[in-house]
Amino acid sequence: MADGSSFYITTPIFYVNDVPHIGHAYTEVAADVIARWHRQAGEDTWSLTGTDEHGQKILRTATANGVTPQEWADKLVADAWVPLLETVDVANDDFIRTTEPRHEQNVQKFLQKLYDDGHIYTGEYEGYYCVGCEEYKQESELVAGTGEYEGQLVCAIHSKPVELLHEKNYFFRTSAFAERLLALYEERPDFVQPESARNEVLGWVRSGLADLSISRSTFDWGVKVPWDETHVVYVWFDALLNYITAVGYGQDDEEFARRWPAQHIVGKDILRFHAVIWPAMLMAAGLEVPRGVFGHGWLLVGGEKMSKSKLTGIAPEQITDVFGSDAFRYYFLSAISFGQDGSFSWEDLAARYQAELANGFGNLASRVIAMVTRYCEGVVPSAGALTEADLEISAIERRATEDSWAAIERLAVHEAIAAAWELVDALNGYLTAEEPWSLAKDPAKRERLETVLAVAYHGLGTLAVLLSPVLPKATAKLWTALGAPGTVQGQRIDRAHEATLGERVSALEALFPRVEVAE
Ligand code: MSP
């Protein structure tokens, strides 16, 4: 990390055939927490999300609903995908739609360059296509259908029949980049994370790369191939380019140089596109490969990837309406190791909300503010002579600050939260051991009371800063109650333990009020 260094992070762009579920929201909040953390460490941060609007899947959904694909996309973006960002409190810097001119024009520029430089040729392909994945599948990726699809081959991810397609298309010579890709994974072992994802990617590339069909001619909902308008660009080839068209590729060289390369956060289902095809496309165009690709796990329901098409999708508002956006963010990022699959359950969410957020952090904040109010008329006391216990809290403040930032730099979001939470636990333990409420009963112990409250107040200030990327709403309220200057998000997170705090506290409403969970 260096002050002012550039940090560009992206989410996948989401298909607009349907509304978001908590799996999509999970990716959004993970990227947002990492972005906020880097921003608060003083880096020149840019976070991008958006929507993937071309291709057969969207075209078919729109047609089935009796509207044009553009009308369908406009409606879903306005009614569902942009509002999702507010629902889970995402502070993105940009939102790209693949139907915007800034994208379409530069997709054409990119493609033309590859064509002119000999990376594209015409060929024929026959294979099984899954419209849900928008991808040709190998037979090894198909399984026998059950129920209404008995006797047919279905996609292992979507459980829906694949279609046998035979087309004359344009192809991208992906195979020409196999050696360079292997060298990349070798030289930069953290290019693909986590380790399990890297191994999978290595396996694919070592077993041989097929060239990629990058155009379709049987429908026209897409970006036109510039030298042959009877073809549209394959939706994945089009979509991956969003990461560069959004930051000036082809139109603003200065902006592009400032932002690129990006750290991509994606679900592991789309790892092959991001860790193999995308870097090969960039190599072909003579551009820098991404900073890295992190493939996170799936949210599972009943042991399977949650999905709307399998009717297991849970809408993010079902959770945020009851628990709030902070709890959504905290729960999914602390309860699941980032990179692993995780099962969602209402019981687990409710239990952690109560134990960790309400009783652990929320209660700590209310008690400290209430005691400074009651015993010191709201004026933040100064510490007197320090005991070992007081010094231990300062040491934990520093450690939590350093460890959480180091974890974020490794993209270990759950470890970053756990490192900050050491301070929540330490402060709760400190209050239990020091019993400021007992000290308050004895005027002879006034100095000790003031020292304990000063130490606890300071610890709370550090916590507010450290947890602000994960709990933006609660920590903003806490910052105000602490009487601290500026905004909590304006504080340097890599120096959280040194934050300048205030002189006078004010009332703090319960940060995580009791919730009633309907049976
Ligand atoms: N449009 C493509 C991505 C193009 S990126 C150049 C796409 N879209 S998607 O809407 O189907 O899914 C995108 C992402 O949503 C997944 O990669 C993943 O990050 C997230 N998830 C969708 N379902 C999920 C779960 N059940 N669990 C966790 N994340 C999930 O693929």
Side-chain angles (χ1 to χ4, degrees), residues 14-33:
F14 299 92
Y15 287 129
V16 292
N17 61 305
D18 209 338
V19 297
H21 60 57
I22 61 175
H24 306 117
Y26 174 58
T27 311
E28 287 282 7
V29 299
D32 183 56
V33 165

Side-chain angles (χ1 to χ4, degrees), residues 1-298:
M1 193 274 307
D3 266 349
S5 63
S6 172
F7 183 75
Y8 173 30
I9 186 165
T10 68
T11 70
I13 49 170
F14 299 92
Y15 287 129
V16 292
N17 61 305
D18 209 338
V19 297
H21 60 57
I22 61 175
H24 306 117
Y26 174 58
T27 311
E28 287 282 7
V29 299
D32 183 56
V33 165
I34 298 166
R36 284 178 187 256
W37 217 297
H38 280 262
R39 209 174 278 131
Q40 268 185 254
E43 295 190 3
D44 181 20
T45 303
W46 195 253
S47 70
L48 174 71
T49 187
T51 43
D52 190 353
E53 306 184 5
H54 292 129
Q56 227 161 338
K57 171 146 95 172
I58 315 293
L59 176 62
R60 285 188 187 174
T61 307
T63 309
N65 284 277
V67 293
T68 66
Q70 188 68 63
E71 284 166 343
W72 179 263
D74 288 348
K75 182 169 163 48
L76 267 281
V77 168
D79 294 353
W81 289 93
V82 168
L84 166 69
L85 303 173
E86 205 181 313
T87 303
V88 292
D89 208 0
V90 166
N92 56 308
D93 294 294
D94 194 6
F95 187 100
I96 187 156
R97 302 181 52 183
T98 54
T99 49
E100 286 176 68
R102 65 166 169 163
H103 177 73
E104 295 191 344
Q105 285 164 8
N106 294 299
V107 166
Q108 290 188 321
K109 261 193 210 169
F110 185 96
L111 204 66
Q112 186 70 52
K113 176 166 170 49
L114 260 51
Y115 187 64
D116 295 345
D117 292 348
H119 297 291
I120 290 173
Y121 62 92
T122 21
E124 280 189 44
Y125 195 81
E126 185 176 84
Y128 293 109
Y129 195 82
C130 169
V131 175
C133 293
E134 290 281 15
E135 186 182 9
Y136 275 109
K137 295 280 167 179
Q138 302 299 318
E139 287 203 33
S140 60
E141 296 168 301
L142 305 176
V143 294
T146 53
E148 61 175 314
Y149 304 127
E150 188 86 48
Q152 298 182 59
L153 282 177
V154 300
C155 162
I157 294 179
H158 288 88
S159 302
K160 295 246 169 85
V162 287
E163 299 167 24
L164 186 63
L165 298 186
H166 185 131
E167 279 190 277
K168 200 162 166 272
N169 299 130
Y170 292 99
F171 281 74
F172 167 54
R173 253 182 251 283
T174 325
S175 57
F177 296 92
E179 289 308 314
R180 282 181 64 186
L181 287 168
L182 288 170
L184 168 68
Y185 309 141
E186 202 58 44
E187 278 158 29
R188 288 170 45 187
D190 58 358
F191 179 75
V192 184
Q193 279 181 284
E195 188 68 24
S196 52
R198 175 172 187 266
N199 291 337
E200 208 169 353
V201 168
L202 275 175
W204 291 328
V205 179
R206 282 192 184 132
S207 66
L209 283 185
D211 291 344
L212 180 74
S213 155
I214 56 154
S215 72
R216 305 292 307 276
S217 59
T218 49
F219 62 94
D220 68 354
W221 179 235
V223 179
K224 295 233 177 313
V225 169
W227 63 88
D228 179 353
E229 299 227 326
T230 63
H231 284 244
V232 290
V233 179
Y234 170 46
V235 63
W236 266 103
F237 202 87
D238 158 0
L240 287 162
L241 287 164
N242 90 87
Y243 301 129
I244 59 172
T245 60
V247 290
Y249 168 80
Q251 58 190 15
D252 184 345
D253 294 345
E254 205 177 312
E255 180 68 4
F256 186 60
R258 176 175 174 186
R259 304 293 176 202
W260 188 254
Q263 172 65 51
H264 300 306
I265 304 293
V266 301
K268 64 180 183 182
D269 47 333
I270 54 175
L271 201 55
R272 190 196 310 256
F273 285 108
H274 284 83
V276 181
I277 292 167
W278 177 226
M281 287 165 63
L282 290 161
M283 286 171 181
L287 298 173
E288 231 181 298
V289 297
R291 169 183 175 129
V293 177
F294 190 98
H296 69 65
W298 288 342

